[in-house]
Amino acid sequence: MNGTAHAAIGAAAGYVVANTVHASPSTTLLLVGIGSVSGLIPDLDIDGKLRDHLTLSHEVVRTVAQIIGILMIIYSFYEGSPKEKWLGIAIGISMTAISAKIRQKHMLTITGIGVLAGGISLQELWLILFGIYILIASFVSHRSYTHSILGVIFFGFISAKFEASLGIEGVFYTCLAGYISHLIADLKLLPFNKRGIKLFLPISSKEI
């Protein structure tokens, strides 16, 4: 199933939750949006369709990192003390060299680090956990752990903290319903799916 269908099903789940909790029109719109995004989250894995849409082009990040590295070298050479000069130059050269190796496949990991850092800076537990989720997802194969019961439990915990942070009723159930709807839609039991999901990892790797 493609991303548009997953997003639509997630949005429908958000609408159902909004009606169940008798949400206001503005809250209903918010829950529909959250459900739509949650319906896409399981595809944030190493080969998932959402990966390249979420992350920046690796060329942009690589260029920015190289510019910062070069500027650090120049600044350290002219402004730093003897000790700071060589340390700054070494860091600048290292940044330039490492950034040259950045590829698109690394961007999801970099995004996870950015989200994690943002969560720490803002002191938002849900954002910290979501950064950890993205980091883990960037190393697992498609339709594996993000499409498993473990993925549901972890995302459910993130959702609970997200609702607590927003203080809006229905956010937790919307996130969870959107996420689970993705897994159901990817089941091999459905006639239009050639592949299934490994729901019971790590106990079983059988696709269902």
Side-chain angles (χ1 to χ4, degrees):
M1 185 172 287
N2 61 34
T4 302
H6 282 305
I9 296 171
Y15 184 75
V16 170
V17 172
N19 280 338
T20 303
V21 300
H22 306 293
S24 66
S26 59
T27 301
T28 297
L29 187 61
L30 175 65
L31 293 179
V32 167
I34 290 173
S36 179
V37 172
S38 298
L40 295 170
I41 294 298
D43 274 347
L44 272 178
D45 47 35
I46 196 166
D47 298 315
K49 297 175 183 177
L50 189 59
R51 182 190 66 177
D52 293 338
H53 295 290
L54 175 75
T55 58
L56 292 171
S57 166
H58 70 285
E59 294 176 353
V60 174
V61 175
R62 183 171 60 196
T63 301
V64 170
Q66 287 174 336
I67 291 172
I68 292 172
I70 291 168
L71 290 175
M72 184 175 289
I73 293 169
I74 295 171
Y75 180 82
S76 299
F77 184 79
Y78 286 104
E79 300 294 335
S81 65
K83 184 178 180 180
E84 292 172 340
K85 179 184 294 186
W86 295 114
L87 179 61
I89 290 173
I91 293 173
I93 291 173
S94 298
M95 275 189 69
T96 305
I98 292 171
S99 62
K101 299 182 180 298
I102 293 175
R103 299 292 182 267
Q104 193 63 40
K105 65 181 181 179
H106 303 131
M107 293 308 302
L108 191 60
T109 304
I110 293 171
T111 300
I113 294 170
V115 172
L116 178 59
I120 294 171
S121 176
L122 295 170
Q123 296 185 331
E124 288 284 355
L125 181 56
W126 75 269
L127 202 55
I128 293 171
L129 292 171
F130 190 44
I132 294 171
Y133 177 98
I134 295 173
L135 274 173
I136 294 171
S138 71
F139 291 103
V140 301
S141 58
H142 187 41
R143 292 197 178 193
S144 60
Y145 281 97
T146 61
H147 289 65
S148 71
I149 291 175
L150 281 179
V152 173
I153 293 170
F154 190 16
F155 190 71
F157 192 62
I158 295 170
S159 304
K161 298 302 178 183
F162 185 36
E163 179 174 283
S165 178
L166 289 180
I168 299 175
E169 185 183 7
V171 168
F172 169 73
Y173 290 113
T174 295
C175 290
L176 206 56
Y179 195 99
I180 292 172
S181 74
H182 184 115
L183 272 57
I184 292 172
D186 277 352
L187 289 173
K188 196 174 183 179
L189 300 173
L190 300 178
F192 47 80
N193 286 328
K194 294 180 180 179
R195 291 184 58 194
I197 60 173
K198 299 173 182 179
L199 188 63
F200 299 107
L201 283 173
I203 297 171
S204 172
S205 60
K206 182 180 179 180
E207 289 189 352
I208 62 170

